[in-house]
Amino acid sequence: MLIFPETRFDFCGDEYIYAEISKEMRIESNFKAISITNELRKRQIPGIVEIYPANASYLIRYNPNEVSPHDLLAYLQEVDREKSKRSELNFDSRLIEIPVWYDDSVTKEAIEKDQHRHQEPGQSNFDFVMKINGFTDKESFIEAHSVNPYFVTSLGFKPGTAWTFPLGIENEQVIQAPKYMSPRAKTPREAVGIGGAFTVVYPTQSPGSYQLIGLSAVPVYDPTQSLEMFKESFFLARPGDLWKYRPISEAEYRNIREEVNKHTYQYKVKHVPFSGEEYDEKRAAYISQMMEGF
């Protein structure tokens, strides 16, 4: 049964209100953050400048010359109470396939240059994450990581970075990994990494500290908007989307990259309504139903 603690609101300077739904990361808290921020965008409240959903919180930027901060706080508290009901945790989502070449040679080569920053120098990130999560063979680890869709909880760090959290499994089944002891100097573009309980795809080459387990064949950030999927936004992800990581071979990776480079690649997408109430009641069965025909 979904039960939310009382949301804690704080004024941050003269232009921000911060709302903490829960102290720990609970996927249900993220459902609420996305439901609330979607509702606030839809209402187009005068004075609100920007809206930022996060994993278990949200941040509102406002213009104090257009709206009283105390009036806005009262309004936010009213919306927050409304969205504390299970029946109100609804939003439109997109199920998007992300083809991944797991245990690839590209990320392996990249991490060799920064072995001194890692907990276990001399071991690949893939093997390290597999071992600490109790897996003894590559195929079962890949299956466990890719079998369920991942929920896009928030965006940040660099433009296009999406934090994704697995759905349909119990917390003790979630694959997790510590970050590097100190960040790598370089992470390949589209590398797939795990940090804590989250999986991310690095949108561009950058420093990074997540454990690298594969390489996405498709971009998640396209400032040139050369692919059809990016016509409305530079970013592939939206909070509330679902990403399904699909294991592929090196040969399929190179075939997909050729389509991407020719600007002909078509992402596999399914538009789905998401219900936090149904997910809370059915969990794995709800996810299986959502995945039908995908």
Side-chain angles (χ1 to χ4, degrees):
M1 174 68 71
L2 273 176
I3 300 175
F4 293 106
E6 183 177 353
T7 298
R8 181 174 66 84
F9 289 90
D10 289 304
F11 290 108
C12 302
D14 297 328
E15 298 182 358
Y16 295 90
I17 295 177
Y18 171 73
E20 182 184 80
I21 297 171
S22 61
K23 290 187 178 297
E24 71 281 1
M25 171 55 199
R26 298 172 54 204
I27 194 63
E28 297 84 359
S29 297
N30 189 248
F31 296 163
K32 181 177 175 180
I34 291 172
S35 298
I36 288 173
T37 52
N38 284 352
E39 180 67 20
L40 293 174
R41 289 191 191 93
K42 185 170 66 177
R43 295 189 186 189
Q44 297 183 325
I45 302 162
I48 289 185
V49 179
E50 292 180 278
I51 300 169
Y52 309 86
N55 290 329
S57 60
Y58 55 98
L59 183 70
I60 306 299
R61 184 184 180 189
Y62 63 93
N63 184 342
N65 294 320
E66 293 184 32
V67 60
S68 159
H70 294 284
D71 288 347
L72 179 57
L73 174 60
Y75 190 90
L76 294 176
Q77 290 171 327
E78 178 185 340
V79 175
D80 189 274
R81 284 191 293 270
E82 178 185 327
K83 294 297 180 181
S84 292
K85 303 172 186 174
R86 292 199 313 163
S87 59
E88 292 293 325
L89 302 179
N90 304 306
F91 39 86
D92 294 327
S93 185
R94 300 175 303 168
L95 185 57
I96 302 174
E97 182 181 88
I98 309 294
V100 176
W101 174 18
Y102 284 90
D103 197 24
D104 65 289
S105 59
V106 177
T107 58
K108 280 185 175 179
E109 181 180 353
I111 65 176
E112 286 178 0
K113 301 173 183 178
D114 289 295
Q115 286 290 335
H116 62 287
R117 303 177 188 273
H118 195 265
Q119 293 88 337
E120 294 196 19
Q123 187 175 46
S124 73
N125 288 186
F126 183 94
D127 289 340
F128 173 72
V129 177
M130 187 174 73
K131 184 181 74 173
I132 65 173
N133 282 278
F135 293 91
T136 57
D137 66 276
K138 175 177 175 177
E139 288 71 23
S140 60
F141 172 76
I142 293 173
E143 169 70 13
H145 183 266
S146 63
V147 67
N148 288 309
Y150 285 65
F151 193 81
V152 176
T153 60
S154 64
L155 309 179
F157 177 61
K158 283 180 66 76
T161 305
W163 275 270
T164 69
F165 187 87
L167 294 184
I169 58 176
E170 299 302 319
N171 287 340
E172 60 270 17
Q173 298 175 295
V174 175
I175 292 173
Q176 302 190 49
K179 296 191 292 185
Y180 272 49
M181 294 185 297
S182 61
R184 293 177 301 273
K186 290 184 180 179
T187 304
R189 182 184 66 182
E190 280 121 31
V192 178
I194 297 179
F198 293 93
T199 294
V200 304
V201 178
Y202 283 78
T204 57
Q205 179 178 287
S206 68
S209 58
Y210 280 19
Q211 307 286 342
L212 305 183
I213 62 167
L215 193 65
S216 169
V218 298
V220 297
Y221 172 62
D222 181 11
T224 67
Q225 297 181 298
S226 57
L227 293 169
E228 183 65 30
M229 194 68 177
F230 295 89
K231 293 304 180 186
E232 295 182 3
S233 172
F234 296 163
F235 313 135
L236 178 65
R238 301 172 189 165
D241 279 348
L242 296 158
W243 283 9
K244 177 63 171 64
Y245 299 108
R246 179 174 69 85
I248 59 174
S249 65
E250 179 180 357
E252 187 173 0
Y253 169 85
R254 300 201 181 283
N255 288 337
I256 293 173
R257 288 308 304 179
E258 186 174 348
E259 291 184 51
V260 169
N261 293 334
K262 291 179 178 178
H263 313 316
T264 59
Y265 181 79
Q266 296 292 322
Y267 287 76
K268 186 177 180 181
V269 182
K270 179 182 179 183
H271 292 266
V272 293
F274 191 91
S275 166
E277 182 174 25
E278 286 194 61
Y279 178 78
D280 184 48
E281 292 175 351
K282 303 175 183 177
R283 295 280 170 165
Y286 180 64
I287 296 302
S288 295
Q289 177 184 335
M290 185 180 296
M291 293 294 296
E292 287 179 4
F294 187 74

